[in-house]
Amino acid sequence: MTPVDASSAPGGAPVLYRGATGVSTCFGTFGELLQGRLPEPDADFLVTLPVARWTMAEFQCVPGPGGVEVRPPHKGKARRMAEMVLAEAGARAGGVLTLDSSLPEGKGMASSSADLVATARAVANAVGPDLPPERLEYLLRRIEPTDGVLYPGVVAFDHRRVRLRARLGSLPTMTIVGVDEGGTVDTVAFNRLAKPFTAADRRAYAALLERLSGAVARRDLAEVGAVATRSAEMNQRLWPKRMLPDALRICSEVGALGLVAAHSGTMLGVLLDTADPAYVTKVAATVRACSLLGPDVSLFRTLSFD
């Protein structure tokens, strides 16, 4: 980056940058391994499942008060994030923010969260403010409930209050055969829904989180799949998936690890172990079976951070 002018005035005057460009990426998720509410007050949480699909953000500074132009133009939340990071840096500049994403919108794959995280880091790379995770959480909190994609690996995250609960670790790579029920879901609207969780439900979610934490630490994919399946089943009261019974049947028939749901989205996924000796046969059988449920079937690969 190239500062054009800087003032030593008390309090620090804005700095103007010429030709500074920053680039960053952020991965998405396939729904959540687990999502629910814990016994303590307002303790909504989710556990991430990072996948090899990304948003890439490029920010090019333009000196002066011209504001931020975002491409594509409907990414208004990303524009707001860029403006906040510029304000944090004291940069007297606008710029052009370009987003390119392989994450579908409104499906429960953290597309909006990935846009915001990639944007914040790209602008910070251009104009230079330190942006540690805690500061990024603060900025995200000002915009919307956010997934935990700012942290690598599998994490437990309070998405409504936008703060890390725990880093659980990393898992071996899995394949997800995903089927989309269609339509889109507004995550902000979803998070305003009343949660019909009883005290018993909250205790059950706490037990599932403890199981999942141990399973990730042991790299026990069968247990990870079992917890994800139970979470998908429990979510039926809140955001039901019409394909869930058929997807569960497919899991049983092919010997999958389990079922993962986009709890606030439209996707269901069959989890398969890439190290399984019958992996290729199972993938083919799962794709065939899921294709009978709906036309929109895709393969995803989870990310390992070892």
Side-chain angles (χ1 to χ4, degrees), residues 81-197:
M81 174 60 77
E83 292 168 345
M84 288 195 298
V85 177
L86 288 170
E88 287 265 313
R92 192 165 68 246
V96 178
L97 171 67
T98 303
L99 296 170
D100 184 12
S101 183
S102 58
L103 294 162
E105 297 180 12
K107 299 295 184 181
M109 297 192 67
S111 63
S112 180
S113 297
D115 285 352
L116 294 175
V117 172
T119 293
R121 289 174 173 164
V123 178
N125 287 341
V127 299
D130 187 25
L131 200 61
E134 296 79 9
R135 193 61 187 170
L136 183 49
E137 287 180 345
Y138 165 76
L139 295 173
L140 292 165
R141 194 177 300 129
R142 294 171 62 186
I143 297 177
E144 67 176 1
T146 306
D147 211 306
V149 293
L150 65 161
Y151 294 99
V154 178
V155 302
F157 197 76
D158 184 333
H159 51 290
R160 297 187 71 182
R161 291 187 285 187
V162 191
R163 67 180 188 183
L164 181 69
R165 293 189 64 91
R167 297 176 185 260
L168 303 189
S170 183
L171 289 169
T173 299
M174 295 177 282
T175 289
I176 306 168
V177 180
V179 59
D180 183 7
E181 292 196 335
T184 59
V185 177
D186 183 326
T187 303
V188 174
F190 174 85
N191 279 286
R192 294 194 186 109
L193 294 175
K195 305 297 191 296
F197 299 136

Side-chain angles (χ1 to χ4, degrees), residues 4 29 73 81 87 96 113 167 186 228 236 244 247 259 274:
V4 177
T29 68
M81 174 60 77
V96 178
S113 297
R167 297 176 185 260
D186 183 326
Q236 286 294 89
L244 185 82
L259 188 70
T274 59

Side-chain angles (χ1 to χ4, degrees), residues 223-303:
E223 179 73 346
V224 168
V227 172
T229 301
R230 182 59 188 143
S231 186
E233 292 170 336
M234 292 180 70
N235 194 60
Q236 286 294 89
R237 283 191 295 158
L238 182 61
W239 198 258
K241 305 285 192 296
R242 68 179 184 278
M243 293 182 182
L244 185 82
D246 288 325
L248 289 171
R249 173 183 51 79
I250 292 169
C251 283
S252 177
E253 289 174 352
V254 303
L257 294 167
L259 188 70
V260 62
H263 291 70
S264 59
T266 66
M267 304 284 290
L268 287 170
V270 178
L271 285 170
L272 298 169
D273 184 355
T274 59
D276 189 326
Y279 168 72
V280 173
T281 300
K282 288 185 176 183
V283 169
T286 305
V287 170
R288 284 195 301 269
C290 287
S291 296
L292 298 176
L293 302 185
D296 195 352
V297 176
S298 304
L299 291 180
F300 302 86
R301 185 65 64 94
T302 67
L303 288 174

